[in-house]
Amino acid sequence: MAKTILIVDDSASIRQVVGLTLKGAGYDVVDAVDGRDALGKLDGRKLHLVISDVNMPNMDGISFVREMKVRPAYKFTPVIMLTTEAGEAKKRDGQMAGAKAWVVKPFQPAQMLDAVSKLIMP
Amino acid sequence: MSTVTTNDHRIAGLAWALCAGLGLLGAAAAAFPGAAASPLWAGGVGVAGVLAGGFLAAMVRTALAAARREAEAACPPPPGVAGLDALCGQVLPIWNRQIETARSQTETSLVDLAACFGDIHQRLDAALGLYRSSTGRLSDSGGEDDVMAMLEQGQNDLSAMLSSLRAGIRAKQAMLERIREVAGFSDELKAMADSVSALANQTNLVALNAAIEAAWVGESGRGFAVIADEVRKLSILSGDTGKQITARVDGVTHAIYDAVRIAEQYADQDARAMRDSERLIEGVLNVFRGAVGHLTEAATRFQHEGRAVQETVSGVIVSLQFQDRVSQILRQTMDDMARLENLLDERSEGGARGEAAAPIDVAAWLDELSRTYTTLEQLDNHLGTQSSAPAKATEITFF
């Protein structure tokens, strides 16, 4: 059974290319347009990994990850932050929130898939 | 900057009008009936008034310009262009909408483009998968080996079949040898039959002599003559039988030699057929090997091209992500334009209420602006340094 990955990004083109990359590797994909929308997708479904942008309207990615991590069902779901932000302060914020990796856009599909395979839940 | 303004001209015009009016008033008074002055005097007063007015106006303009230059030197006017606030208030929302339209249209187009490339990627994957399965897994290094093994198996099967045929031919040849041996026996049989005929002739001759000797003996030899006659009859029968055996043996011998000749003809045909079959099978296998070689080469080329297209599509996927960076830069610029628009609105409303507008803190504005950047390019643009190219390789940090 294919593993499911939640993509959170306000950019439709990014959601599209990330989804394309993951689906091509055999993963199932669920997407959300911002942190608030993503919280609505945490409805008990099994998520093996989350890939989230940082700067988004309504709720940013760091806040979303903090909210997600307090929910028992998703406490151990690994998170990859995918963002244009390359500053160390932001990275620390992401790490403190519970992210496992920080990927700066643009990403190479092969390297993204490599990171996903390293972190995704069995 | 011009040193003589419109207001200067107005003031100078008023001075000129005042002097000219006084001159004309003086002229009117001089020309009034009953006045002591003559009309010529009155006209002179008027002209003098106008000229004095013109001179005074020129003096006033010069003095005002000089005073303005001094004032400007002592206290420079605040920077700005009259009407700029109003212009910004009108034009900034327009610029904002134009940028948003361009940004959203680009975003929409890129989403469509990404969908198209996604479709190409998936179709290519499907085509390559189908090709792999339909060509017996020719795609990978072991594919050609699989087909060559299949060919070798076919060749081995055909060789086994040829071996069976050769064994059959050898069995026929063995049988032919046995038939030749049988033909050799028939010669011996013929010689034996000849011997029987010769013995019969000799027996007949002995019986004849016995009959002659019996006739010489007379009546007492009559019985012996009968025996001799019977022996002679038996010898004649034996001779006839020997001749019949010889004839039969000749017939059988001819039949055997005919059979050997025919069998030898068939053996030659079999040998030729075997050689032809071997050549034909080898030719077919060579054609098949060539076809497999071409097929394998085509499969390898197809795989290579397919992988190249997939890599190109991956490159496109990377390039498409720049829309997100562009979008963020445009959004941040739009936000700052909106911030400026709000500030101008507030100052305009304050001005309408008669409130004095505080000077804009440009440094604070720029500092706040710089805190909203998310990409290195934005910071470079802010500082006016050479713009950093976004990294081509993925920058990943694992925590």
Side-chain angles (χ1 to χ4, degrees), chain B residues 42-64:
Chain B
V45 170
V47 169
V50 170
L51 289 174
F55 177 74
L56 188 59
M59 291 292 289
V60 166
R61 273 200 301 270
T62 304
L64 285 173

Side-chain angles (χ1 to χ4, degrees), chain B residues 25-42:
Chain B
L25 192 62
F32 195 76
S38 67
L40 185 61
W41 172 250

Side-chain angles (χ1 to χ4, degrees), chain B residues 93-306:
Chain B
I94 296 170
W95 288 349
N96 220 315
R97 289 194 292 272
Q98 303 288 16
I99 292 174
E100 174 56 22
T101 299
R103 194 200 63 76
S104 64
Q105 284 180 358
T106 309
E107 174 85 21
T108 304
S109 298
L110 277 170
V111 168
D112 293 343
L113 199 58
C116 289
F117 275 107
D119 190 47
I120 290 170
H121 200 269
Q122 285 175 352
R123 284 172 185 271
L124 190 62
D125 272 348
L128 287 173
L130 188 64
Y131 193 77
R132 283 187 199 107
S133 60
S134 64
T135 55
R137 302 175 301 283
L138 275 174
S139 57
D140 299 322
S141 58
E144 186 179 356
D145 293 343
D146 287 349
V147 174
M148 295 312 289
M150 188 176 71
L151 262 183
E152 193 174 349
Q153 179 65 40
Q155 190 174 12
N156 290 339
D157 291 346
L158 290 170
S159 296
M161 186 191 75
L162 288 175
S163 296
S164 298
L165 288 173
R166 282 193 200 98
I169 289 172
R170 279 197 298 273
K172 280 184 184 176
Q173 284 173 340
M175 185 181 71
L176 191 59
E177 289 300 319
R178 298 296 295 171
I179 292 172
R180 283 197 186 102
E181 286 177 13
V182 171
F185 293 154
S186 67
D187 287 341
E188 290 178 19
L189 287 172
K190 186 180 175 186
M192 290 166 71
D194 288 343
S195 296
V196 169
S197 294
L199 284 172
N201 286 335
Q202 286 180 353
T203 303
N204 186 30
L205 191 59
V206 169
L208 184 63
N209 287 330
I212 293 169
E213 291 298 328
W216 282 108
V217 174
E219 190 64 27
S220 58
R222 184 170 302 229
F224 188 73
V226 172
I227 293 169
D229 189 51
E230 289 299 321
V231 169
R232 196 173 57 86
K233 287 178 183 173
L234 288 173
S235 70
I236 290 169
L237 282 174
S238 296
D240 290 343
T241 302
K243 287 175 186 170
Q244 286 173 358
I245 290 171
T246 300
R248 289 287 181 188
V249 167
D250 282 344
V252 170
T253 302
H254 282 138
I256 288 172
Y257 278 121
D258 284 345
V260 168
R261 185 174 46 78
I262 291 168
E264 285 173 342
Q265 286 177 351
Y266 279 129
D268 288 342
Q269 286 178 1
D270 285 348
R272 279 197 301 275
M274 178 61 73
R275 287 194 296 274
D276 291 345
S277 297
E278 285 175 343
R279 277 198 300 272
L280 189 64
I281 287 169
E282 189 59 31
V284 169
L285 286 174
N286 282 336
V287 169
F288 197 25
R289 280 192 202 98
V292 169
H294 287 306
L295 191 64
T296 305
E297 187 183 341
T300 305
R301 195 173 179 81
F302 185 80
Q303 286 289 310
H304 178 76
E305 294 297 325

Side-chain angles (χ1 to χ4, degrees), chain A residues 98-109:
Chain A
K100 291 290 181 189
W102 189 276
V103 179
V104 178
K105 298 172 189 171
F107 66 85
Q108 295 278 352

